[in-house]
Amino acid sequence: MHIPNLRALSHCSYALLIALLPLFSHAQPVKRSALEPILSFEVDHKGTSPQGWGGGPSGTIFIDDKVVHGGKWAARLERKADSPSQFSTSTIRIPIDFTGTRIEFRGFLKTEKVSGFAGLWMREDGDGGSVAFDNMQSRGLKNTTGWKEYSIILPLKPEAKDLYFGVLMGGTGTTWVDDLKLLVDGKPIWDAPAMEKPKTVLDTDGEFNGGSKIDATEFSKIQVENLAVLGKVWGFLKYHHPVITSGKRHWDFDLFRVLPQVLAAGDGKSAAQAIHKWIAALGPIADCTPCATLSQTELHLKPALDWLTDENLLGAELSKDLQRIFRNRPSVKSQFYISKATGIGNPLFDQELAYPSLKTRDTGLQLLALYRMWNIIEYWFPYRDLIGENWNGTLTEFVPRIALAKTSEEYQREMMGLIARVHDTHANLWSSLKVRPPVGSCQLPATIRFIENSAVVVGHAGQKKDLELGDVIEALDGTPVSNLVDRWRPYYAASNEPTRLRDMARSLTNGACGAAVVKVRRGTQTLTVSTARVSPDMKQLQQAGKHDRPGDTFQKLSNDVAYLKLSSVKAGDAARYVDSATGTKGLIIDIRNYPSEFMVFALGSLLVEKPTEFVRFTTGDLANPGAFHFGSPLSLTPKGPRYQGKIVILVDEVSQSQAEYTTMAFRSAPGAIVIGSTTAGAGSARRTALSESRSPRGRKSILATQRPSQGSGEYSA
């Protein structure tokens, strides 16, 4: 069983809920002594993925025996327009249990039609997050290139505890990697002098390494209610009790120790008494010195802790326990199970185990997954107030759905259902999309887009054109599309309905390869079309991933109108684009796509006439989990040549994440206007826009992305 891994990587924009997924990290580190064949890919590979490597998203990382630099095997990163996330990475994690002065990661890369960039990447993590990082983004490796050896070097930081490294690719295209080397002071890493690291309770407490020992096939109503209370209390203690926050307890295993008593409780009072005894066994709560206080300065969101005084829910004794713990929480700058990324402030879940060797049918581990996810949202999700769901009710609802899931596929779908309740386009169980309905490796050779809630054919793939442009698909194999959408909607995580339909459109016709019957509305006629599902076509998928204008990055539409699309833009050419637009009355900036490079400041500074604040971010509060404070505004600083005409920014449902953040910046320019439809609403760090020309507030309007890593755009793997 691969329980959601809560160790967040500093990739992309630090999407909060990617931390929940077993995608971009190895929860169990690889030993240095085992690295040599893994780095060369010359091992016995099982399945299609490189043996010994983590990474993701699923379906984008492959082992390759056709295109290699040396030996029999190489790794291949292959991304299409509808590939999950905005990048793919092969990843290895090793503990920094060695000494030295510098680390070098070296290897051969080959690219083909890479639209974003490709590179080796390496990151050192300490208690506070990333302490050293490089990902080759500044080298601009993209398009099509032959085999070439590249190298990145980091100083070995004394505070670093873990090393993450691998290969990264953003956008679409293919990257091959082979013959990697990891060197410490010029020698193979397995020869580096060993350094003993202090052990934590996660190393010394092994009671439940083989499983939770909790197995249930059904719950009574009172058991569900008691387990929901336990989940709330477990999460509160995890981030407030000084014994837990200081790392003295294996909190996963302590959950498994109390679960039998809570399951055996015949009523709420008995369960509360069992939880009270469990807390008492942690030891007395000392008076805090100093105690934490909640600053009101720039406070945006307060912790939701009114339930601590609810004696109807908790009983008098347990309520007093929790209130005493809250009053005596210390004023801390660090916690064991949560930290903040250096220089950025996004949450990192440093000490979470993934239990990858255990099988799914484990009630306790499945409850643990639910409790982790629910409490991350409760305490570390800055859009908690915009979820639009009864989050307490969601916990109760999903206790039996997740804990009693009988198969791996059912468990993954139920986790998708839970994540979808957060209503955040950045959140998903990216490693498990193959089990999200509709399942199947083939699809109709057509590009579908929902227009006014109808599934419309907007493009073709390949030679077979049984479906015509403009056809409205009303039913697939006898089932109305409206019924399919209603059936599948609970498993599609999105901030708004247009984005949910966008994602459904990309997989709407998925199914088994072979014959399919489609009912369409064509003009005034209703027809039944016999066609076939085939393997997806790359061009079809690329077209589905953007809606901008074909042709060059910069175009003169007339003497008065210039056009710039960001899907192929280059930051280094920003001044040239503006210079080319000189004399026009208007500049259309098309962001119905994902920017190929980070343009917020490179181009934004050429659109403003004075220093212009455009965004503020919030960060969580380690001493007050659940609280979020606004930081200082970020500004665009004017540079030349400045564009003098009017600015129109085009957006729609494919405008997501960095595209939305870029839109937010550009619309602060004088007279700028945003035109289009609802954007993806993909953000995981609370923001507010400071421009005067605001679109409607809320997550149906343009949202900023999570704070990008400074100096590296979104791709800081």
Side-chain angles (χ1 to χ4, degrees):
M1 175 183 186
H2 214 145
I3 195 169
N5 176 8
L6 303 188
R7 180 174 183 84
L9 296 187
S10 306
H11 59 70
C12 190
S13 318
Y14 289 86
L16 172 63
L17 294 179
I18 284 183
L20 292 167
L21 315 178
L23 269 191
F24 299 103
S25 66
H26 263 279
Q28 303 301 325
V30 175
K31 293 182 179 180
R32 289 189 290 139
S33 59
L35 277 177
E36 185 172 10
I38 294 174
L39 292 176
S40 65
F41 303 102
E42 300 305 314
V43 298
D44 292 330
H45 298 284
K46 299 177 181 178
T48 60
S49 300
Q51 196 73 17
W53 290 81
S58 177
T60 64
I61 314 295
F62 307 94
I63 194 68
D64 197 322
D65 62 354
K66 306 297 185 191
V67 179
V68 301
H69 178 266
K72 297 180 180 179
W73 305 94
R76 183 178 82 251
L77 284 69
E78 185 174 324
R79 290 188 53 78
K80 303 174 182 178
D82 67 342
S83 293
S85 186
Q86 283 82 47
F87 64 94
S88 296
T89 173
S90 279
T91 303
I92 288 180
R93 170 193 171 199
I94 64 171
I96 298 181
D97 56 0
F98 51 88
T99 61
T101 59
R102 72 175 198 166
I103 307 173
E104 179 182 8
F105 185 36
R106 183 189 301 169
F108 288 85
L109 298 176
K110 171 183 168 67
T111 64
E112 183 177 285
K113 298 180 180 179
V114 172
S115 65
F117 81 98
L120 304 175
W121 69 273
M122 184 165 53
R123 197 186 78 234
E124 299 172 40
D125 277 6
D127 286 334
S130 174
V131 296
F133 172 77
D134 191 1
N135 69 352
M136 285 181 52
Q137 183 176 11
S138 61
R139 305 190 201 182
L141 177 57
K142 60 189 302 183
N143 300 324
T144 298
T145 63
W147 284 112
K148 182 179 177 180
E149 188 174 28
Y150 298 88
S151 171
I152 53 176
I153 298 174
L154 295 178
L156 183 54
K157 299 283 189 176
E159 65 270 34
K161 293 186 175 181
D162 289 291
L163 179 69
Y164 289 83
F165 63 93
V167 61
L168 169 74
M169 189 186 78
T172 58
T174 306
T175 297
W176 290 267
V177 56
D178 202 357
D179 294 334
L180 297 169
K181 296 179 181 179
L182 192 61
L183 308 173
V184 177
D185 296 336
K187 298 180 180 179
I189 193 166
W190 43 87
D191 292 335
M195 176 181 63
E196 187 67 29
K197 286 285 186 177
K199 293 185 181 296
T200 71
V201 67
L202 302 182
D203 303 305
T204 58
D205 184 350
E207 181 178 353
F208 296 95
N209 285 345
S212 72
K213 305 176 186 178
I214 306 294
D215 187 18
T217 57
E218 62 180 1
F219 292 145
S220 67
K221 183 175 183 294
I222 191 62
Q223 283 178 315
V224 170
E225 293 172 354
N226 289 341
L227 289 171
V229 171
L230 176 61
K232 288 172 67 73
V233 173
W234 179 85
F236 170 80
L237 296 174
K238 182 174 186 175
Y239 300 124
H240 291 85
H241 196 296
V243 171
I244 308 356
T245 60
S246 61
K248 296 177 182 177
R249 303 293 302 189
H250 194 315
W251 203 229
D252 293 355
F253 289 1
D254 277 339
L255 172 65
F256 302 152
R257 293 180 179 112
V258 75
L259 269 172
Q261 288 76 45
V262 173
L263 285 169
D267 52 30
K269 182 177 180 180
S270 300
Q273 184 62 28
I275 297 172
H276 164 71
K277 291 180 179 179
W278 178 55
I279 294 173
L282 297 174
I285 299 295
D287 293 338
C288 49
T289 308
C291 294
T293 58
L294 179 59
S295 172
Q296 300 299 307
T297 303
E298 298 292 354
L299 178 64
H300 176 76
L301 199 58
K302 295 181 179 180
L305 294 173
D306 290 347
W307 63 277
L308 299 182
T309 62
D310 187 348
E311 295 187 3
N312 291 326
L313 176 71
L314 303 170
E317 198 170 37
L318 180 55
S319 175
K320 290 177 181 177
D321 288 342
L322 302 182
Q323 292 180 63
R324 183 174 66 255
I325 292 167
F326 180 72
R327 286 194 304 270
N328 289 283
R329 70 196 188 283
S331 181
V332 296
K333 295 183 179 179
S334 65
Q335 290 202 27
F336 184 72
Y337 289 103
I338 173 76
S339 64
K340 295 166 72 174
T342 303
I344 296 174
N346 294 47
L348 301 174
F349 302 91
D350 299 313
Q351 302 292 351
E352 304 289 0
L353 303 179
Y355 309 107
S357 62
L358 302 181
K359 295 183 179 180
T360 296
R361 189 51 251 161
D362 188 311
T363 304
L365 278 167
Q366 291 167 210
L367 271 175
L368 173 62
L370 168 62
Y371 290 171
R372 282 183 179 181
M373 165 69 179
W374 191 90
N375 283 287
I376 279 182
I377 300 304
E378 183 74 355
Y379 294 107
W380 306 110
F381 185 56
Y383 287 127
R384 185 183 70 235
D385 58 325
L386 296 180
I387 288 176
E389 298 274 349
N390 179 342
W391 194 235
N392 291 311
T394 299
L395 174 61
T396 304
E397 176 187 345
F398 277 87
V399 164
R401 289 178 57 175
I402 289 175
L404 302 180
K406 296 179 178 62
T407 66
S408 175
E409 290 77 14
E410 182 183 354
Y411 165 71
Q412 292 172 74
R413 279 192 295 270
E414 293 298 348
M415 286 300 298
M416 285 181 175
L418 174 66
I419 293 170
R421 295 295 184 88
V422 180
H423 302 295
D424 186 340
T425 304
H426 261 145
N428 219 319
L429 204 61
W430 297 113
S431 62
S432 303
L433 295 184
K434 64 182 181 297
V435 305
R436 183 175 69 176
V439 298
S441 59
C442 287
Q443 58 184 221
L444 299 183
T447 300
I448 310 300
R449 186 178 181 187
F450 276 93
I451 300 174
E452 296 183 353
N453 294 319
S454 294
V456 181
V457 176
V458 296
H460 290 124
Q463 300 300 314
K464 195 172 181 61
K465 297 182 179 180
D466 298 322
L467 299 174
E468 296 184 2
L469 297 182
D471 281 354
V472 176
I473 299 179
E474 295 190 334
L476 288 166
D477 294 324
T479 303
V481 167
S482 58
N483 291 2
L484 296 175
V485 168
D486 289 342
R487 187 188 308 166
W488 298 336
R489 182 180 284 110
Y491 303 104
Y492 281 76
S495 300
N496 50 58
E497 187 66 8
T499 308
R500 184 175 293 106
L501 292 176
R502 175 202 72 183
D503 291 346
M504 284 189 181
R506 293 173 179 175
S507 58
L508 178 69
T509 66
N510 283 7
C513 300
V517 177
V518 186
K519 179 182 176 182
V520 302
R521 188 172 73 249
R522 183 176 296 168
T524 59
Q525 294 181 304
T526 299
L527 307 173
T528 298
V529 178
S530 295
T531 183
R533 291 184 177 90
V534 296
S535 296
D537 180 87
M538 172 68 82
K539 292 183 179 179
Q540 171 191 355
L541 297 175
Q542 288 177 337
Q543 181 59 37
K546 60 182 181 180
H547 297 148
D548 53 19
R549 180 181 173 86
D552 295 338
T553 302
F554 178 86
Q555 303 174 39
K556 275 286 203 64
L557 304 185
S558 71
N559 290 334
D560 292 332
V561 180
Y563 170 90
L564 179 66
K565 62 178 178 180
L566 298 196
S567 59
S568 55
V569 76
K570 293 184 178 180
D573 289 340
R576 181 175 65 82
Y577 300 139
V578 171
D579 188 61
S580 298
T582 299
T584 59
K585 295 180 180 179
L587 172 62
I588 298 171
I589 302 177
D590 197 343
I591 321 185
R592 296 173 299 170
N593 49 50
Y594 191 85
S596 59
E597 294 190 7
F598 189 67
M599 298 297 294
V600 168
F601 299 103
L603 181 57
S605 63
L606 308 181
L607 306 179
V608 296
E609 57 189 1
K610 61 183 179 179
T612 304
E613 298 175 349
F614 70 94
V615 69
R616 299 174 75 192
F617 291 90
T618 63
T619 56
D621 185 341
L622 292 178
N624 296 280
F628 289 85
H629 299 264
F630 273 114
S632 300
L634 297 184
S635 298
L636 298 176
T637 301
K639 295 181 181 179
R642 187 175 80 84
Y643 183 69
Q644 303 288 333
K646 297 184 180 298
I647 299 167
V648 175
I649 304 161
L650 300 183
V651 299
D652 65 10
E653 72 272 17
V654 303
S655 305
Q656 177 171 326
S657 191
Q658 189 187 120
E660 295 173 287
Y661 182 53
T662 304
T663 303
M664 177 179 290
F666 292 175
R667 73 176 182 178
S668 67
I673 184 172
V674 179
I675 294 177
S677 55
T678 303
T679 63
S684 295
R686 166 71 72 171
R687 66 85 189 100
T688 185
L690 299 178
S691 60
E692 294 180 0
S693 56
R694 299 174 187 266
S695 59
R697 295 182 64 85
R699 285 167 31 129
K700 290 186 177 181
S701 64
I702 298 163
L703 298 183
T705 182
Q706 312 87 303
R707 182 191 294 270
S709 299
Q710 296 175 355
S712 59
E714 271 204 313
Y715 290 105
S716 51

